[in-house]
């Protein structure tokens, strides 16, 4: 009799508290470190950057842009991408070499960026279908030539509405993944109304295909405090609900929450809340001047059991 009461009690407990009995939420912390490289043509190489073997490390080549690169006045090419990073120092052979030397390293490319030549780099498609067709073809060629693993979307200026952007980028990512050309994709929005309207439309329709959100927290004002950063992080985590939003800083210290003013304090807090999905840095080009001091510190923090 007592035994049957015990069984009934256990059954009731399991009905009312099932999650505690059988389901353990996966930890959200990650050991992912990502670094943009190659936009500033200051001869930085993959091999210059310290790589901690206990993290997952992504280099992100900056940038591939669908603009003509042969004239002094670049013009849009409707999805026909060209390499605009420092390809002399960041070549296909060097990309292959860094991946073979470090088994934890992957290399991606970023699309767009802020500027090209002396002007802004605009997302400027003629139509969804033509842009996607050109982009799939041209990017597949570049990705295979460089043996890359993924893409990042960093358009910051738009001659197209949010729905057009969403359809073009969403279909591009979907096709490249389905074709086995890439294994991951990320987006790099920042807190600007026009930028956010485009990326939130993309997230709403194709968020399940986007592996990481490289939110540019360094686009906030210089002098950002730890508490402000935490609020910004929570706000953007809501905007990109369910996404792996990464913490970030700019290594020239010109804006946002800097390493000197508490960035790693904020990261430690995120880690204690199980929200440190990774760290990314803009950029290796700037960090070369300070000996990659904060890259080392970032990776050391991420490498501690997550």
């Amino acid at each position: 009799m007592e035994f049957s009461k015990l069984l009934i009690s256990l059954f009731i407990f399991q009905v009312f508290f099932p999650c505690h009995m059988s389901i353990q939420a996966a930890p959200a912390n990650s050991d992912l470190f990502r670094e943009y490289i190659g936009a500033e043509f200051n001869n930085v190489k993959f091999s210059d950057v310290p790589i901690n073997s206990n993290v997952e490390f992504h280099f992100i080549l900056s940038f591939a842009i669908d603009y003509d690169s042969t004239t002094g006045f670049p013009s849009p090419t409707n999805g026909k991408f060209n390499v605009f990073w420092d390809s002399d120092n960041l070549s296909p052979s060097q990309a292959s070499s860094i991946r073979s030397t470090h088994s934890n390293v992957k290399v991606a490319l970023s699309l767009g960026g802020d500027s090209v030549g002396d002007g802004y780099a605009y997302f400027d498609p003629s139509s969804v279908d033509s842009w996607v067709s050109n982009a799939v073809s041209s990017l597949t060629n570049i990705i295979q030539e460089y043996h890359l693993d993924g893409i990042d979307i960093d358009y910051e200026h738009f001659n197209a509405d949010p729905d057009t952007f969403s359809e073009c980028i969403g279909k591009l990512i979907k096709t490249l993944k389905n074709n086995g050309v890439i294994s991951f994709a990320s987006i790099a929005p920042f807190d600007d109304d026009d930028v956010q309207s485009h990326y939130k439309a993309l997230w709403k329709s194709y968020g399940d295909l986007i592996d990481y959100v490289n939110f540019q927290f360094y686009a906030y004002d210089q002098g950002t405090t730890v508490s402000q950063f935490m609020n910004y992080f929570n706000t953007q985590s809501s905007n990109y609900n369910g996404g792996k939003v990464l913490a970030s800083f700019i290594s020239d210290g010109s804006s946002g929450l800097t390493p000197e003013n508490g960035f790693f304090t904020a990261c430690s807090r995120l880690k204690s809340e199980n929200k440190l999905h990774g760290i990314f840095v803009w950029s290796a080009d700037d960090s070369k001047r300070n000996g990659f001091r904060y890259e080392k510190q970032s990776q050391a923090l991420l490498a501690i059991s997550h």
Side-chain angles (χ1 to χ4, degrees):
M1 190 68 175
E2 292 303 320
F3 181 66
S4 61
K5 281 183 183 174
L6 179 64
L7 283 179
I8 291 166
S9 299
L10 281 171
F11 173 75
I12 291 170
F13 183 79
Q14 210 165 354
V15 168
F16 284 102
F17 305 100
C19 59
H20 298 296
M21 296 295 289
S22 56
I23 302 168
Q24 180 66 45
N29 287 333
S30 163
D31 60 359
L32 177 62
F33 179 79
R34 316 187 86 203
E35 177 115 46
Y36 288 89
I37 189 170
E40 296 174 23
F41 288 81
N42 66 352
N43 302 319
V44 68
K45 297 179 173 65
F46 297 119
S47 55
D48 291 336
V49 184
I51 297 168
N52 187 317
S53 61
N54 294 312
V55 303
E56 181 180 356
F57 194 114
H58 293 179
F59 282 109
I60 306 174
L61 290 161
S62 312
F63 291 93
I65 314 175
D66 53 330
Y67 270 63
D68 180 4
S69 61
T70 59
T71 69
F73 302 96
S75 56
T77 54
N78 190 38
K80 296 177 182 176
F81 282 85
N82 290 296
V83 168
F84 280 86
W85 64 77
D86 183 2
S87 56
D88 288 343
N89 289 291
L90 302 163
S91 65
S93 63
Q94 286 159 324
S96 294
S97 176
I98 200 71
R99 289 166 88 246
S100 61
T101 308
H102 299 275
S103 61
N104 59 321
V105 166
K106 294 178 180 173
V107 186
L109 59 74
S110 187
L111 307 185
D114 176 55
S115 61
V116 58
D118 294 326
Y120 289 139
Y122 283 93
F123 176 73
D124 193 13
S126 300
S127 68
V128 171
D129 289 347
S130 65
W131 188 92
V132 171
S133 176
N134 288 337
V136 167
S137 174
S138 60
L139 286 171
T140 297
N141 288 338
I142 295 170
I143 289 164
Q144 291 180 341
E145 179 187 2
Y146 279 79
H147 305 287
L148 304 179
D149 303 284
I151 63 171
D152 175 65
I153 311 300
D154 187 26
Y155 281 105
E156 302 184 2
H157 308 281
F158 307 91
N159 283 336
D161 61 67
D163 286 342
T164 301
F165 177 71
S166 171
E167 286 307 299
C168 285
I169 300 299
K171 287 179 176 177
L172 170 66
I173 293 171
K174 187 171 188 175
T175 304
L176 292 177
K177 282 193 167 185
N178 286 347
N179 291 351
V181 176
I182 60 171
S183 58
F184 59 82
S186 58
I187 56 174
F190 58 95
D191 194 15
D192 169 271
D193 288 346
D194 190 39
V195 169
Q196 291 277 62
S197 68
H198 285 77
Y199 283 93
K200 283 161 79 173
L202 172 62
W203 184 260
K204 184 178 179 182
S205 297
Y206 292 97
D208 58 321
L209 295 174
I210 297 165
D211 301 280
Y212 314 108
V213 179
N214 281 13
F215 199 86
Q216 298 182 44
F217 289 104
Y218 46 82
Y220 288 106
D221 292 343
Q222 188 176 29
T224 296
T225 65
V226 171
S227 60
Q228 286 173 324
F229 182 94
M230 297 298 287
N231 288 335
Y232 296 151
F233 185 91
N234 289 330
T235 298
Q236 301 310 333
S237 295
S238 296
N239 281 333
Y240 300 94
N241 191 32
K244 293 178 180 173
V245 178
L246 275 62
S248 61
F249 66 89
I250 188 167
S251 52
D252 69 3
S254 60
S255 55
L257 177 60
T258 63
E260 296 90 342
N261 291 335
F263 175 77
F264 293 112
T265 300
C267 286
S268 295
R269 285 192 193 171
L270 290 174
K271 195 163 191 173
S272 71
E273 296 174 12
N274 228 15
K275 295 177 184 174
L276 186 58
H277 310 301
I279 295 171
F280 80 89
V281 180
W282 178 274
S283 64
D285 308 56
D286 290 323
S287 296
K288 189 177 178 184
R289 297 186 197 102
N290 67 20
F292 303 98
R293 174 181 171 190
Y294 298 121
E295 278 79 357
K296 294 173 189 172
Q297 194 170 343
S298 297
Q299 292 176 76
L301 175 64
L302 292 167
I304 300 166
S305 179
H306 63 279

